[in-house]
Amino acid sequence: LALGRRLVAEGLGSALLIVAVIGSGIMGTRLYGGQPGSVLLANSIATGGALVGLILMMGAVSGAHFNPAVSFVDALFGDLSWSDFGLYTVVQTAGGCAGTIVANVMFSLDAVNISHHHRSSGELWLSEVVATIGLLLVIHGCVRTGRGSVVPFAVGVWIGGAYFFTSSTSFANPAVTIARMLSDSFAGIAPASAPAFIGMQAVGTLVAFVLIRFLYPKAAS
């Protein structure tokens, strides 16, 4: 029963996160048209705010990962079993895809419309490494120094800011990357571009794990 609650929390949280990402991108485009800066601002504020609320909502239930990279590092540290990591990844990805469908339908679009937004270049891939490292350091820097209560706000601010200071707009999440393939909107990513993004997120995750172990060798009780 406890595992079931955690999986529902991860799936639902991931779905609502993607609703915020995709929905705010569509709404921003409709409101601001050809002003990508204004659309990105709306997208970043909505996503950052949603993350704060969702982590506060689900943190005590599942840890509020909503991200296979976060779950993978927890598994490496022994805070999450490998079997649970596998289940978390499945429900995070499924929830994210469901959230994309909901967001599309909310704005009278086809439930699934594959993205044609190609994102493929060295600077974008480097951005995903940086964004993922930063996200994981923010989380563990707070948790492992006894400031876990500020994680929702730290994560929301980091992701909101990283939308602007990374050229990739900071996906930093394999499940989110897969889900964003299903919407041909501002926040979408073409399927051909997704594998490289996910690969760079994996690289960032491994680098972050090494840095966390070095910078915070003793976790707070």
Side-chain angles (χ1 to χ4, degrees):
L1 186 59
L3 176 59
R5 280 196 295 267
R6 287 192 285 131
L7 295 178
V8 169
E10 284 297 303
L12 178 59
S14 298
L16 292 174
L17 172 58
I18 285 292
V19 167
V21 173
I22 299 294
S24 62
I26 297 171
M27 177 64 85
T29 299
R30 292 184 177 180
L31 290 175
Y32 303 115
Q35 302 178 50
S38 297
V39 179
L40 183 61
L41 179 61
N43 205 197
S44 67
I45 292 173
T47 303
L51 274 168
V52 173
L54 289 169
I55 297 171
L56 288 171
M57 183 195 309
M58 301 298 189
V61 181
S62 67
H65 296 182
F66 315 140
N67 185 338
V70 175
S71 301
F72 184 70
V73 171
D74 266 20
L76 287 174
F77 279 117
D79 298 323
L80 185 72
S81 72
W82 286 107
S83 60
D84 285 1
F85 161 70
L87 292 171
Y88 268 42
T89 299
V90 169
V91 298
Q92 288 159 358
T93 305
C97 291
T100 300
I101 292 170
V102 169
N104 286 335
V105 172
M106 283 200 310
F107 288 91
S108 300
L109 302 174
D110 291 339
V112 173
N113 49 103
I114 301 299
S115 177
H116 294 88
H117 193 165
H118 291 280
R119 305 172 187 258
S120 181
S121 65
E123 61 268 23
L124 297 180
W125 300 335
L126 175 60
S127 291
E128 281 304 291
V129 175
V130 171
T132 305
I133 292 172
L135 172 63
L136 293 168
L137 284 176
V138 163
I139 294 170
H140 285 270
C142 294
V143 171
R144 296 174 77 84
T145 55
R147 296 173 294 158
S149 61
V150 306
V151 167
F153 310 99
V155 169
V157 170
W158 171 265
I159 292 296
Y163 266 55
F164 279 91
F165 66 71
T166 64
S167 60
S168 66
T169 67
S170 184
F171 284 47
N173 184 331
V176 161
T177 304
I178 291 170
R180 287 167 76 159
M181 294 191 301
L182 306 181
S183 182
D184 194 19
S185 61
F186 178 81
I189 181 172
S193 301
F197 264 54
I198 294 171
M200 293 303 102
Q201 291 157 7
V203 170
T205 300
L206 294 174
V207 173
F209 172 69
V210 173
L211 289 172
I212 292 164
R213 291 197 62 175
F214 178 73
L215 293 171
Y216 311 104
K218 295 182 179 180
S221 59

